[in-house]
Amino acid sequence: CAGFDGDQADPRNFNEAQYDTRVQGLVEAMEALSKENTPLNQGKVLDLVLNHAAFLAPVMLAPQAPGAPQDMKGKTTIQFQLTSTKDGRVYFSAFTDWQELRKFCGPKEQKVVILRFDNYANMILQDGRTAGLVINPRGLSLTLDRDNIDRLAKKKAELARGYAQEQVEKDTQVMVGDPEEEPEELLDAVCDLA
């Protein structure tokens, strides 16, 4: 499997070999998930999507229309090109690379912005009109619906804080005792919350 460590979507950031490796890392993880849907493969893909990947997002740029509010004069409006399902649900599109983007928009010149998971999550969760996110909608794709994006964004925020809140089922056996080593980080986190 190819390595992957960052902003793979924009080839200007890397030489050709580096760019191919970064794109290939996520693509290979998605292929492995497609072949074998295991928790390990799911975890690899989600880690790359949530924490490392940068995606090409097709957009249309338009100057502000006459009569726009004064504070918007001279600014450009960005309109995202969305993907619709047969039943009418609308998703944001994200592409791992230009080859996947071309399957969507063809050979025409396409304006893009580079977005990460957090950007998509903010837009999707703030706007009730979109059902989620589709990565590479015309190829080997991955769909994350609104509920999954909400859950993943919350989990990512918990992990960024350094702790997560968990509930155990009723009647679950729990061992209580003194630890062999004092958990310094846990104590610090509890003190910060107090």
Side-chain angles (χ1 to χ4, degrees):
C1 183
F4 182 89
D5 65 359
D7 189 359
Q8 90 288 353
D10 190 348
R12 296 172 296 185
N13 292 334
F14 310 102
N15 69 41
E16 189 172 335
Q18 289 172 320
Y19 175 73
D20 290 342
T21 300
R22 281 161 176 78
V23 170
Q24 198 61 30
L26 179 55
V27 171
E28 285 180 8
M30 289 173 64
E31 286 172 353
L33 178 61
S34 173
K35 289 178 185 169
E36 201 173 342
N37 190 352
T38 65
L40 179 64
N41 287 340
Q42 291 171 6
K44 286 179 183 178
V45 169
L46 290 177
D47 177 56
L48 293 173
V49 169
L50 269 61
N51 300 309
H52 303 285
F55 299 101
L56 300 172
V59 297
M60 293 181 290
L61 304 176
Q64 284 295 325
Q70 190 62 34
D71 62 337
M72 295 300 290
K73 297 264 189 229
K75 296 186 179 177
T76 301
T77 299
I78 298 176
Q79 296 176 328
F80 290 90
Q81 295 179 4
L82 305 174
T83 300
S84 297
T85 60
K86 291 178 183 174
D87 63 357
R89 290 177 294 153
V90 179
Y91 289 83
F92 278 96
S93 300
F95 298 90
T96 54
D97 56 76
W98 286 99
Q99 182 178 345
E100 287 296 328
L101 180 68
R102 292 283 171 238
K103 293 178 186 177
F104 181 76
C105 69
K108 70 176 183 164
E109 182 178 324
Q110 177 64 57
K111 302 282 187 206
V112 300
V113 293
I114 296 175
L115 300 177
R116 295 188 177 277
F117 172 81
D118 295 341
N119 304 118
Y120 282 108
N122 287 337
M123 292 187 297
I124 291 164
L125 297 174
Q126 289 177 10
D127 182 351
R129 296 175 289 184
T130 53
L133 171 67
V134 180
I135 299 169
N136 294 342
R138 301 277 166 88
L140 180 61
S141 65
L142 175 67
T143 302
L144 298 172
D145 66 20
R146 172 184 296 280
D147 291 338
N148 280 324
I149 288 173
D150 186 34
R151 183 179 52 78
L152 292 167
K154 286 177 181 173
K155 191 66 160 177
K156 183 177 179 182
E158 285 179 352
L159 293 173
R161 286 193 307 265
Y163 62 91
Q165 182 176 348
E166 298 288 334
Q167 289 185 331
V168 292
E169 296 290 322
K170 182 179 178 184
D171 299 325
T172 300
Q173 287 187 337
V174 178
M175 291 182 56
V176 178
D178 292 326
E180 289 181 21
E181 293 182 31
E182 197 167 283
E184 301 275 336
E185 290 181 30
L186 176 61
L187 294 173
D188 291 342
V190 170
C191 288
D192 290 344
L193 290 174

